[in-house]
């Protein structure tokens, strides 16, 4: 006679209802693992970018100069005060040469040029940054949509882009700034809406290259719409190009702002480097030999433009090593 073995009373049969052990090392919340992995990947990408960027001596030099100018602009209310641009009660005599009291001399109203130079950095850097962001945003939007939809829409947008390319950017900006009110917003708008075609061309070419890859076809086959394709697949792939183009466009925007201000199309109520050059021209600084009125703002514009260009070239080289930009 055979007897059937019975399990001991304290034994429990295995079941498939046992929850899996969380492997994210956190509180076991759903989704915490993928978020942590995404943060780690982003952190590794930033560290890898910084390691490669540090190998570019010119890029580090430009970055150091930009940090110095940014700190100077941010601390301007504390270092030179907010009343430095006031004409009444100027501390010095008009067109006084550099001295111990006024290291960079005075302007035609007797104001300290060093304080004006420091305060003007806020306007020049802000206008250059905003104009570059607006220009790159318009160019990226036109480039991505023209590369994605193609057909008649792409043809029309590229013909408009070609028209802006053949027209002188400065002439268009001057015409736009002339018919609008004289303000910083007008300067930003005039520069931004006239300097986007180059970015649009570059982004469209990159978009066409991205959309020819097999995973785009798979995404479309799985039901991915236009917005999904452009925002989830195309945009992340063109962002390195957009970032590099932004850093390069800031220097051009600062030069354009200085040119418009020098031509008298800027806001007369604010102090900028281009505005200082325009005031020096009106005061006859060249004929009177007041070099201290012209040289400091001109050198500041040149140094900042060069610093942004060096940073932009370094970023471009890191994000696209095939360019072979010299270090």
């Amino acid at each position: 006679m055979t007897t059937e073995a019975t399990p001991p009373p304290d034994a429990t049969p295995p079941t498939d209802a046992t929850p899996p052990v969380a492997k994210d090392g956190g509180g076991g919340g759903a989704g915490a693992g993928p978020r942590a992995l995404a943060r780690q990947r982003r952190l590794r990408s930033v560290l890898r970018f910084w390691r490669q960027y540090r190998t570019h001596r010119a890029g580090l030099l430009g970055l150091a100069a930009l940090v110095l100018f940014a700190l100077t602009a941010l601390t301007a209310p504390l270092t030179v005060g907010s009343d430095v641009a006031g004409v009444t009660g100027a501390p010095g005599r008009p067109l006084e040469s550099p001295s111990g009291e006024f290291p960079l001399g005075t302007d035609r109203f007797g104001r300290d040029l060093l304080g004006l130079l420091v305060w003007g950095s806020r306007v020049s850097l802000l206008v250059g940054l905003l104009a570059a962001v607006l220009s790159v945003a318009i160019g990226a939007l036109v480039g991505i949509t023209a590369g994605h939809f193609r057909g008649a829409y792409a043809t029309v947008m590229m013909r408009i882009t070609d028209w802006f390319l053949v027209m002188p950017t400065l002439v268009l900006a001057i015409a736009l700034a002339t018919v609008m009110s004289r303000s910083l917003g007008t300067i930003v708008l005039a520069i931004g809406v006239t300097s986007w075609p180059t970015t649009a061309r570059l982004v469209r070419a990159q978009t066409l290259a991205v959309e020819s890859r097999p995973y785009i076809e798979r995404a479309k086959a799985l039901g991915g719409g236009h917005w999904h394709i452009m925002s989830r697949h195309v945009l992340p792939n063109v962002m390195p190009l957009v970032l590099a183009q932004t850093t390069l466009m800031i220097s051009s925007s600062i030069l354009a702002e200085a040119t418009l201000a020098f031509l008298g199309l800027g806001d007369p109520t604010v102090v900028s480097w281009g505005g200082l050059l325009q005031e020096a021209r009106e005061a006859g600084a060249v004929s009177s030999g007041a070099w201290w009125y012209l040289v400091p703002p001109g050198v500041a514009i040149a140094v900042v433009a060069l610093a942004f260009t060096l940073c932009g070239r370094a970023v471009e080289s890191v994000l696209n090593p095939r360019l072979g930009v010299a270090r």
Side-chain angles (χ1 to χ4, degrees):
M1 183 178 63
T2 61
T3 59
E4 183 178 358
T6 58
D10 57 345
T12 57
T15 177
D16 295 336
T18 305
V21 179
K23 297 182 180 180
D24 55 0
R35 286 197 297 268
L37 290 176
R39 285 195 298 269
Q40 292 176 5
R41 285 197 297 267
R42 286 194 292 268
L43 179 60
R44 286 196 298 266
S45 298
V46 171
L47 293 177
R48 183 168 59 252
F49 172 83
W50 174 243
R51 284 195 301 267
Q52 297 176 3
Y53 186 91
R54 286 186 306 177
T55 62
H56 296 76
R57 296 186 181 90
L60 288 178
L61 182 61
L63 181 61
L66 291 181
V67 170
L68 179 60
F69 276 101
L71 291 177
T72 301
L74 292 175
T75 59
L78 301 177
T79 56
V80 300
S82 57
D83 57 345
V84 66
V87 177
T88 58
R93 298 187 307 273
L95 295 180
E96 185 176 347
S97 61
S99 60
E101 185 179 3
F102 304 108
L104 296 181
T106 61
D107 67 347
R108 59 175 176 169
F109 301 111
R111 299 176 296 181
D112 183 15
L113 274 175
L114 178 60
L116 293 174
L117 189 70
V118 171
W119 193 261
S121 64
R122 297 168 63 90
V123 174
S124 296
L125 293 176
L126 179 62
V127 171
L129 179 62
L130 293 179
V133 170
L134 177 61
S135 172
V136 172
I138 296 174
L141 178 62
V142 172
I144 291 176
T145 54
H148 176 77
F149 291 107
R150 308 182 188 182
Y153 172 81
T155 302
V156 172
M157 295 308 298
M158 287 300 100
R159 297 298 77 77
I160 295 175
T161 303
D162 293 339
W163 183 84
F164 274 94
L165 279 174
V166 298
M167 290 294 293
T169 301
L170 183 59
V171 174
L172 291 176
I174 291 174
L176 188 59
T178 302
V179 299
M180 300 179 66
S181 60
R182 296 173 61 183
S183 64
L184 293 181
T186 299
I187 297 296
V188 172
L189 186 64
I191 299 173
V193 301
T194 57
S195 57
W196 56 267
T198 302
T199 303
R201 278 288 183 183
L202 294 174
V203 172
R204 179 177 181 269
Q206 184 70 12
T207 301
L208 293 175
V210 171
E211 296 222 355
S212 64
R213 296 173 183 173
Y215 67 86
I216 298 294
E217 295 296 332
R218 289 196 294 269
K220 293 179 180 179
L222 292 174
H226 297 298
W227 174 253
H228 176 82
I229 298 296
M230 289 187 293
S231 62
R232 296 297 183 89
H233 299 291
V234 177
L235 183 60
N237 283 279
V238 302
M239 275 305 296
L241 176 63
V242 171
L243 177 60
Q245 189 67 14
T246 302
T247 56
L248 294 174
M249 279 298 303
I250 293 177
S251 60
S252 301
S253 301
I254 291 176
L255 292 174
E257 185 276 332
T259 303
L260 294 177
F262 179 75
L263 295 176
L265 300 176
D267 190 350
T269 62
V270 298
V271 179
S272 68
W273 292 337
L276 290 177
L277 291 175
Q278 193 265 345
E279 290 182 1
R281 180 181 60 85
E282 290 183 350
V286 177
S287 58
S288 62
W291 58 267
W292 59 89
Y293 207 165
L294 292 167
V295 173
V299 170
I301 294 171
V303 171
V304 170
L306 178 61
F308 272 112
T309 302
L310 293 177
C311 289
R313 294 300 182 187
V315 170
E316 198 175 25
S317 178
V318 171
L319 297 179
N320 191 0
R322 292 175 297 177
L323 294 176
V325 178
R327 298 180 181 181

